[in-house]
Amino acid sequence: NFRYRNFSVFALLDAQIGGEIYNQTRQWAYRDLMHFDQDQRGKAEDRKKPIAYYETLYAQNQTSGHFVEDGTYLKLRELALRYSFDSSQLQPVFGNAVNRINISLIGRNLLTFTNYSGFDPEVGRESATVLRFDSFDYPNFRTLTGSIEFQF
């Protein structure tokens, strides 16, 4: 928390150090010939590889250590900005009817710092603690909300 006069800022950071994620979403992109590694456009002729190369290298339909990634991350889980109007500021408009008005803007899941190649390193968090499994799960949603609080 940080406060200065009528402004306040609240920030919540969340981190995980270590852990592993099996990125099946990335593996299936190879299987379906949709991974950017397999795109041969714009590559020099001596750098182009046949599709069978990727099928063999990544063993697309078998579990492979190539798709196990580090699950370390740091997230800005929540950031809240608030401004408070006190009674001296409100008296010309509301008289003595309102003592305080707080206006807030709240953002959740705003930033994620990670080397994980998938959408969100928190996939499968509720089901496994040792090895999480990314199988086309939706990432945590980023939300922006606001609030107005009247104190009488």
Side-chain angles (χ1 to χ4, degrees):
N1 283 323
F2 174 75
R3 291 186 184 148
Y4 179 74
R5 297 188 184 208
N6 291 358
F7 286 100
S8 66
V9 177
F10 169 78
L12 177 64
L13 297 173
D14 186 16
Q16 175 178 313
I17 310 302
E20 294 180 330
I21 303 169
Y22 189 85
N23 193 343
Q24 187 181 33
T25 304
R26 192 174 114 221
Q27 181 180 18
W28 280 30
Y30 282 103
R31 185 197 74 174
D32 296 339
L33 306 176
M34 298 184 73
H35 197 275
F36 64 87
D37 285 349
Q38 295 165 312
D39 186 3
Q40 303 297 311
R41 289 175 294 169
K43 288 185 180 179
E45 286 298 320
D46 63 333
R47 296 194 40 113
K48 290 183 179 180
K49 296 182 173 49
I51 297 301
Y53 168 83
Y54 295 102
E55 291 173 354
T56 303
L57 179 64
Y58 296 122
Q60 296 165 351
N61 290 319
Q62 299 174 7
T63 303
S64 168
H66 179 73
F67 299 102
V68 176
E69 299 182 35
D70 181 24
T72 299
Y73 65 85
L74 172 66
K75 286 192 172 206
L76 178 56
R77 181 72 65 197
E78 185 172 327
L79 180 66
L81 308 171
R82 182 173 74 179
Y83 184 81
S84 297
F85 295 94
D86 58 21
S87 59
S88 64
Q89 294 171 301
L90 298 172
Q91 193 165 16
V93 177
F94 296 105
N96 290 330
V98 178
N99 292 331
R100 179 179 302 270
I101 295 178
N102 297 321
I103 298 177
S104 301
L105 180 63
I106 303 134
R108 293 189 176 90
N109 295 314
L110 296 176
L111 295 171
T112 302
F113 301 97
T114 185
N115 289 328
Y116 178 63
S117 67
F119 290 115
D120 190 348
E122 285 189 294
V123 293
R125 185 173 173 172
E126 67 283 342
S127 62
T129 56
V130 178
L131 177 68
R132 294 190 309 272
F133 192 77
D134 181 352
S135 182
F136 306 99
D137 293 333
Y138 282 105
N140 286 320
F141 294 106
R142 179 177 295 136
T143 60
L144 291 173
T145 58
S147 72
I148 300 175
E149 177 185 352
F150 291 89
Q151 294 179 3
F152 299 96

